[in-house]
Amino acid sequence: MKRIEILNFKSPNRAPLIVEGFLFGEESKGPSVAIVGAMSGDHINQLYVASRLVDYLTHKEEEGKISGKILVIPAVNTYALNMGQPFWPLDKTDINMMFPGYAQGETTQRIAAKLFESLQGYDFGIILEGRRDQGMCLPYVKLIKSGYEDLEAAKDMGMRFIHYREYSPIETVMLQYNWQLWGSKALSLVFGKNGSIDHRSSGEVHSALVRFMAKHTILDVSSFEGFSSNVIGPEHITLLKASHAGIFDSLVACGDTIEKGDTLGRITDALSGKKLEKIIAPLGGIVTCQYSHPLIFQNSIAFRIASLN
Amino acid sequence: MSVIEEVFSIDLPVGEQFRIQRCRYTPASGETTKRISIVSGIHGDELEGQYVCFLLGEWLRANPEKIKATIDIYPAINSLGIDSITRSVPFYEVDLNRIFPGSKNDFLPAQIADGVVSAMKGSEIAIDIHSSNIFLREIPQVRIAKSQAQTLVPLANKLNIDFVWVHDAVTVLESTFAHAMNTLGTKTLVVEMGVGMRLSKAYGHQLLDGLLNLMACEGFLDIKPLDVRMPIQSHVGEVAYLNASGPGLFVPSIEHCQMIEKGSVVGQIVDPLSGQVLDEVIAPIGGILFTLRAYPIVYEGSLVGRIFGENE
Ligand SMILES: [Zn+2]
């Protein structure tokens, strides 16, 4: 394992921002993959999975099991992580909204440019992503249709769901889109709840990463088969919204199979304690995602249900 | 006639509503389908537009007989943000101006965006007033995507601003309020002026004159057009960006909005710890310094100024 400095960026007063990468194996031996962890300061779960992977790969390398090239960058925005903030602490910009970066531009554009440069030339690119809302979800593969995406590679993760969809305008400045355009087969694994560690989904993502690397002969280990992935689009997702604001209790877990008529959650008035609402499943399916903050806003999405009808 | 209306309201978790209000001014004869929307506060840390809204409201209250069509004033879109020095939508930390047109079926910021679009849809013209951010001070200017230049530049020229900046289309800007409204057929201008968290009174009065002139020319007000300044047009020259070469404290050497010569010193980057001057920021071209950094802490890459220089 080689510990490399991806970037070293000076600050006016605090210690420099140092982004480190952990490099295993060598290119000449087989396919290559780069894995990017926490780009935001609240992506703790992503940091956890990435650092755990570094430790795992360190042992596998000692056992001579690395048959390709692997780069893991556990954390990009360490400044934000150390302050309990999601974004770049000075101007609150999101590094994952700055790609492909610009070496002559603003600070976070320069950081993105340096990072992006270090990610070039890999066969596969994996982004460990947190959510962009107050939700938590069943781990899934997010794959956008840039025209350069590789659905078959996504299936090799063996995750239960692949959310395969058109991209929105803001995604054109995010890493997945740009990484795909620049020739790596890039995808995102979205999981967990921002600001916390969920051991179950972290374990699932770790297994998926190992399985993927084993299937692509980057890692010489045996791994269990995962799911035969369900490729779903927005048309397979039903959104259940909260009609009221208040205190939110969920009665189900992500991944639960539910039937039409099941009570999934309830909302009570935050001041009077009055029961305002039960959220009832209008159809059967699997809970893929749910609101995860105890206070909910009116019309917030409380649950997302995947179903095939 | 004026009436204050709530155009969007949604319950917050604990005993409060998030609301967007507007003040609607109509001719004595009643509402007209022809209407214009004046908008500010999509970013909660930008307050210059609040002052312009006040000035315009004050003028309209004093001159009700001059109103020929419906004039809507929305001073505070991100109302939670404005009352708490928060640029983005609090709780979600999402830039409201990156999720338009929004959706009723998505999280709170997207619902706010959808509420804004629903309220203003059908307006003939919308003026979206921004004040840069807390880092940079800007001269009054309108920014227009190239694809919209033909329709919007003539309108912008009526606004009594100093600079019209036509820029290349960028996909990410398709999620802005202006893009969403222009797509729906409302001619929407984005004004940037002043600096975040502060008021620049003179700019407020300058834009008030521009709004009155535009509304006179476009049939909203029964007054004579004003004598307004003709803005510099970006296509006659080039914009040079001045980025900090390294971290430190940026100390400007000249005032904002000055004409400067190529090679002159715009400011210094200094180190308070060692007492050393780390770098001088030099003007790469001559022209007008239309952007100048207001917040002194810089990192490598931080924008410290922009110069517009006319081609020879
Ligand atoms: Zn703004």
Side-chain angles (χ1 to χ4, degrees):
Chain A
M1 183 263 285
K2 268 197 300 199
R3 206 166 166 153
I4 57 172
E5 206 172 89
I6 304 289
L7 67 91
N8 184 328
F9 212 80
K10 287 204 191 77
S11 188
N13 297 287
R14 66 194 279 194
L17 172 84
I18 296 171
V19 175
E20 291 188 278
F22 296 83
L23 198 55
F24 302 88
E26 48 194 288
E27 195 135 24
S28 50
K29 288 169 78 180
S32 57
V33 61
I35 300 165
V36 179
M39 279 192 275
S40 297
D42 54 354
H43 291 179
I44 316 287
N45 225 324
Q46 289 64 27
L47 175 70
Y48 176 73
V49 167
S51 57
R52 198 180 145 199
L53 185 69
V54 169
D55 184 56
Y56 171 86
L57 293 173
T58 306
H59 289 109
K60 290 298 150 196
E61 192 165 53
E62 284 162 12
E63 296 165 20
K65 302 286 191 193
I66 310 259
S67 41
K69 179 183 164 191
I70 309 164
L71 172 68
V72 184
I73 302 174
V76 178
N77 199 345
T78 59
Y79 269 16
L81 283 158
N82 288 330
M83 291 183 69
Q85 290 190 5
F87 302 129
W88 183 247
L90 183 66
D91 63 11
K92 319 293 180 219
T93 52
D94 183 351
I95 293 172
N96 197 16
M97 291 276 277
M98 293 293 154
F99 289 98
Y102 178 46
Q104 270 79 50
E106 264 285 349
T107 308
T108 45
Q109 289 177 311
R110 293 185 188 213
I111 293 172
K114 271 262 193 230
L115 175 65
F116 198 50
E117 195 187 302
S118 74
L119 299 176
Q120 296 309 311
Y122 285 87
D123 298 315
F124 301 101
I126 300 171
I127 305 152
L128 305 178
E129 271 191 45
R131 297 195 54 84
R132 303 183 76 76
D133 60 15
Q134 301 283 342
M136 59 182 172
C137 58
L138 195 63
Y140 68 95
V141 179
K142 180 177 94 181
L143 189 68
I144 57 168
K145 297 178 179 174
S146 70
Y148 297 88
E149 76 280 5
D150 186 343
L151 184 58
E152 292 314 306
K155 287 178 181 168
D156 293 331
M157 287 285 170
M159 296 192 92
R160 197 163 172 185
F161 290 106
I162 296 172
H163 197 199
Y164 185 46
R165 59 171 173 77
E166 304 296 332
Y167 59 87
S168 64
I170 62 164
E171 283 174 311
T172 60
V173 290
M174 293 176 69
L175 179 55
Q176 185 185 140
Y177 176 88
N178 286 285
W179 213 355
Q180 284 183 7
L181 255 59
W182 286 66
S184 295
K185 292 168 181 170
L187 54 82
S188 302
L189 301 180
V190 184
F191 61 102
K193 174 184 165 181
N194 292 349
S196 64
I197 292 174
D198 177 65
H199 289 278
R200 196 192 163 103
S201 53
S202 299
E204 239 178 273
V205 172
H206 178 81
S207 304
L209 291 167
V210 170
R211 181 183 308 120
F212 181 89
M213 290 189 277
K215 286 210 165 170
H216 288 274
T217 66
I218 299 168
L219 200 54
D220 180 21
V221 298
S222 353
S223 78
F224 285 113
E225 281 297 333
F227 287 96
S228 165
S229 300
N230 298 286
V231 179
I232 56 169
E235 69 280 11
H236 298 111
I237 304 280
T238 303
L239 309 177
L240 304 186
K241 301 206 303 186
S243 314
H244 298 84
I247 292 175
F248 174 66
D249 272 316
S250 171
L251 307 174
V252 291
C254 292
D256 284 1
T257 299
I258 50 147
E259 289 183 20
K260 182 177 175 177
D262 285 355
T263 302
L264 308 183
R266 52 181 181 226
I267 297 169
T268 49
D269 185 278
L271 297 176
S272 71
K274 190 176 159 216
K275 294 182 178 64
L276 296 174
E277 183 180 359
K278 275 184 181 170
I279 299 173
I280 311 280
L283 79 179
I286 293 165
V287 178
T288 58
C289 197
Q290 60 179 299
Y291 193 81
S292 67
H293 195 274
L295 295 178
I296 198 164
F297 292 75
Q298 188 187 3
N299 293 336
S300 290
I301 297 162
F303 299 97
R304 284 183 166 88
I305 311 294
S307 56
L308 294 172
N309 30 28
Chain B
M1 258 288 290
S2 75
V3 53
I4 291 175
E5 300 168 318
E6 190 172 275
V7 296
F8 178 80
S9 173
I10 192 162
D11 283 343
L12 295 176
V14 189
E16 187 193 346
Q17 291 79 38
F18 178 98
R19 63 181 187 182
I20 299 174
Q21 294 176 289
R22 76 172 165 217
C23 189
R24 166 164 285 185
Y25 293 84
T26 50
S29 52
E31 279 184 23
T32 58
T33 49
K34 181 182 174 74
R35 67 183 162 120
I36 184 170
S37 296
I38 312 298
V39 186
S40 96
I42 286 180
H43 291 134
D45 59 353
E46 300 178 14
L47 307 175
E48 308 272 15
Q50 286 238 308
Y51 186 55
V52 177
C53 288
F54 159 73
L55 291 173
L56 179 60
E58 188 184 45
W59 191 95
L60 293 169
R61 291 166 70 91
N63 299 280
E65 74 287 354
K66 308 288 190 204
I67 300 171
K68 280 168 68 182
T70 302
I71 301 168
D72 288 331
I73 301 181
Y74 300 81
I77 300 299
N78 180 5
S79 52
L80 231 57
I82 289 181
D83 289 7
S84 61
I85 333 179
T86 313
R87 182 174 183 80
S88 51
V89 180
F91 199 81
Y92 289 91
E93 308 202 46
V94 165
D95 183 338
L96 194 54
N97 213 21
R98 290 290 179 278
I99 46 158
F100 278 89
S103 156
K104 283 188 179 59
N105 287 323
D106 212 328
F107 64 162
L108 179 75
Q111 293 175 42
I112 296 171
D114 177 72
V116 169
V117 171
S118 308
M120 294 181 208
K121 198 162 53 183
S123 302
E124 187 177 309
I125 297 171
I127 310 290
D128 178 21
I129 307 168
H130 288 253
S131 27
S132 181
N133 52 39
I134 63 167
F135 302 103
L136 302 168
R137 190 183 301 277
E138 300 280 1
I139 62 171
Q141 59 196 274
V142 167
R143 296 183 187 165
I144 296 170
K146 208 172 250 168
S147 56
Q148 303 282 344
Q150 218 172 6
T151 333
L152 297 183
V153 170
L155 207 57
N157 288 344
K158 298 181 173 134
L159 261 185
N160 199 32
I161 46 160
D162 295 291
F163 185 38
V164 173
W165 191 355
V166 176
H167 59 79
D168 288 322
V170 189
T171 312
V172 66
L173 294 181
E174 288 172 14
S175 2
T176 59
F177 166 76
H179 185 272
M181 295 306 291
N182 277 312
T183 305
L184 288 169
T186 296
K187 289 180 261 177
T188 304
L189 294 176
V190 181
V191 178
E192 288 282 359
M193 64 177 208
V195 62
M197 285 169 54
R198 297 286 180 269
L199 294 186
S200 311
K201 274 177 75 180
Y203 287 171
H205 289 273
Q206 181 181 338
L207 188 60
L208 172 68
D209 285 351
L211 287 171
L212 295 177
N213 177 60
L214 181 141
M215 287 195 278
C217 296
E218 299 296 319
F220 292 91
L221 291 177
D222 187 16
I223 55 170
K224 278 214 195 75
L226 283 72
D227 190 15
V228 297
R229 60 184 84 187
M230 184 64 185
I232 303 168
Q233 308 288 320
S234 61
H235 67 86
V236 304
E238 56 164 333
V239 173
Y241 289 73
L242 284 65
N243 296 85
S245 58
L249 192 72
F250 173 71
V251 186
S253 307
I254 54 174
E255 296 285 305
H256 179 222
C257 200
Q258 300 272 305
M259 291 301 297
I260 55 171
E261 305 265 303
K262 180 176 174 173
S264 57
V265 180
V266 174
Q268 292 181 322
I269 295 170
V270 304
D271 179 18
L273 184 63
S274 68
Q276 285 174 300
V277 175
L278 301 173
D279 196 20
E280 282 192 325
V281 181
I282 306 291
I285 61 171
I288 180 166
L289 183 70
F290 71 95
T291 304
L292 182 63
R293 193 169 185 88
Y295 187 81
I297 293 291
V298 294
Y299 283 84
E300 180 192 327
S302 294
L303 191 66
V304 298
R306 277 185 286 233
I307 299 169
F308 179 77
E310 286 189 24
N311 296 330
E312 333 270 271

